Amino acid sequence: MEKLTQTVQSGDWKQEKHVPSIHAEKSGENLDIKVYIGEEIAHPNTLEHHIAWIKVFFKPEEGKFPIEVGSYNFQAHGESDILSIPCVETKIKADKGTVYALSYCNIHGLWENSLEVK
């Protein structure tokens, strides 16, 4: 039996329109996080082919497991296209660790990326 984790795809977000790009910047005691799908190569985002959701996780440097810090659904379907742009921003109380992003394309499945923050 295939595990869900075996279906998650990854790659270079500068070469593939489905891989979440992650930007994280320290702001005092907080971490500002931005996740974008299609930053370098735009995702079509039509009714037939769109990003349905993005989830953001953070694993503290000394932590054992990642913590879900955001879950974003894109359900603003129009007649011929989707109006939402798959880009999310959040701010968390964190310092060092790893930011993970997971996204779902209705045609091409699950995609992931991560960014270590020092």
Side-chain angles (χ1 to χ4, degrees), residues 43 45-52 74 77 82 104-106:
H43 191 275
N45 274 0
T46 63
L47 184 59
E48 297 79 25
H49 182 190
H50 59 272
I51 299 298
F74 303 104
H77 295 268
I82 190 163
Y104 179 74
C105 172
N106 71 313

Side-chain angles (χ1 to χ4, degrees), residues 38-101:
E39 183 172 2
E40 291 287 323
I41 302 170
H43 191 275
N45 274 0
T46 63
L47 184 59
E48 297 79 25
H49 182 190
H50 59 272
I51 299 298
W53 51 259
I54 296 173
K55 291 186 179 286
V56 180
F57 301 84
F58 182 76
K59 183 177 136 333
E61 187 175 57
E62 302 298 324
K64 186 173 180 181
F65 301 108
I67 302 159
E68 185 175 339
V69 296
S71 182
Y72 310 89
N73 293 305
F74 303 104
Q75 299 175 346
H77 295 268
E79 284 294 317
S80 61
D81 60 48
I82 190 163
L83 302 175
S84 299
I85 296 171
C87 177
V88 299
E89 295 185 46
T90 190
K91 184 179 290 218
I92 62 172
K93 294 179 185 179
D95 189 22
K96 298 176 184 174
T98 304
V99 177
Y100 298 92

Side-chain angles (χ1 to χ4, degrees), residues 10-48:
S10 63
D12 180 359
W13 60 268
K14 292 182 179 182
Q15 303 292 320
E16 168 59 57
K17 63 187 170 196
H18 293 94
V19 178
S21 64
I22 304 170
H23 301 276
E25 184 177 308
K26 292 181 187 176
S27 174
E29 295 180 3
N30 298 323
L31 187 61
D32 296 337
I33 300 169
K34 180 178 181 181
V35 177
Y36 195 102
I37 311 301
E39 183 172 2
E40 291 287 323
I41 302 170
H43 191 275
N45 274 0
T46 63
L47 184 59
E48 297 79 25

